[in-house]
């Protein structure tokens, strides 16, 4: 079957189910907002314990990452993400899910080969790029200030 790119595109558009875009946007907005509100609540809670602003600013993302990782490990995160869409993936909880999900998938291969080696298969390239870019940025700033 020979088909041009345009014909193939028309065929896939016709056969693909339509995405409920407005519903998806609304759900992402609501769930993303709830996660941000939870973060703000944690910020206020930790501040009320007498922590310095610097320590509170570190404790909130750590708590959100821990919650995202824990919910992923308990297989709850995916059920929430089915309804929330990008609302759970965009905040820092999505990063925790991206780190833990591959590890959970390969845990049957053992602690070292399964959990440890697969943990950074998705998030690893992002971390490598982020760290590399920050090092290059730091070197450029250092050289420009000389």
């Amino acid at each position: 079957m020979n088909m041009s790119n345009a014909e193939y595109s028309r065929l896939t558009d016709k056969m693909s189910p339509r995405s409920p875009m407005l519903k998806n946007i609304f759900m992402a907005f609501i769930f993303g907002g709830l996660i941000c509100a939870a973060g703000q609540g944690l910020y206020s809670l930790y501040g009320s314990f007498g922590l310095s602003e610097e320590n509170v600013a570190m404790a909130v993302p750590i708590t959100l990452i821990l919650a995202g990782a824990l919910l992923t490990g308990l297989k709850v995160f995916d059920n929430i993400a089915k309804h929330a869409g990008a609302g759970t993936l965009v905040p820092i909880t999505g990063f925790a899910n991206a780190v833990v999900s591959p590890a959970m998938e390969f845990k049957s291969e053992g602690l070292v080969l399964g959990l440890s080696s697969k943990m950074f298969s998705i998030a690893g390239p992002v971390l490598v790029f982020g760290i590399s870019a920050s090092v290059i940025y730091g070197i450029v700033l250092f050289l420009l200030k000389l």
Side-chain angles (χ1 to χ4, degrees):
M1 173 185 233
N2 272 339
M3 194 179 291
S4 72
N5 287 341
E7 292 171 324
Y8 181 76
S9 179
R10 281 193 300 274
L11 179 64
T12 56
D13 287 344
K14 184 175 132 184
M15 301 300 279
S16 299
R18 295 286 174 226
S19 174
M21 192 181 324
L22 286 176
K23 177 187 170 229
N24 291 346
I25 291 169
F26 178 75
M27 295 301 282
F29 177 78
I30 294 298
F31 278 88
L34 287 172
I35 291 170
C36 292
Q40 184 61 47
L42 287 169
Y43 191 91
S44 298
L45 178 70
Y46 291 148
S48 72
F49 291 153
L51 292 175
S52 69
E53 196 166 328
E54 184 178 326
N55 287 336
V56 169
M58 285 188 286
V60 171
I62 289 170
T63 304
L64 290 173
I65 290 170
L66 177 64
L70 185 63
L71 290 173
T72 300
L74 295 173
K75 299 182 182 191
V76 174
F77 193 92
D78 289 340
N79 292 330
I80 296 170
K82 283 180 190 174
H83 301 289
T88 56
L89 300 178
V90 174
I92 200 164
T93 53
F95 171 75
N97 178 261
V99 172
V100 175
S101 288
M104 295 302 296
E105 186 177 329
F106 290 96
K107 73 179 178 181
S108 63
E109 294 180 22
L111 187 60
V112 174
L113 294 177
L115 287 176
S116 301
S117 67
K118 298 297 182 184
M119 188 172 287
F120 294 105
S121 63
I122 292 177
V126 174
L127 292 172
V128 168
F129 175 78
I131 292 167
S132 301
S134 65
V135 167
I136 292 169
Y137 181 74
I139 290 171
V140 168
L141 279 179
F142 177 76
L143 293 175
L144 290 175
K145 290 186 178 186
L146 288 178

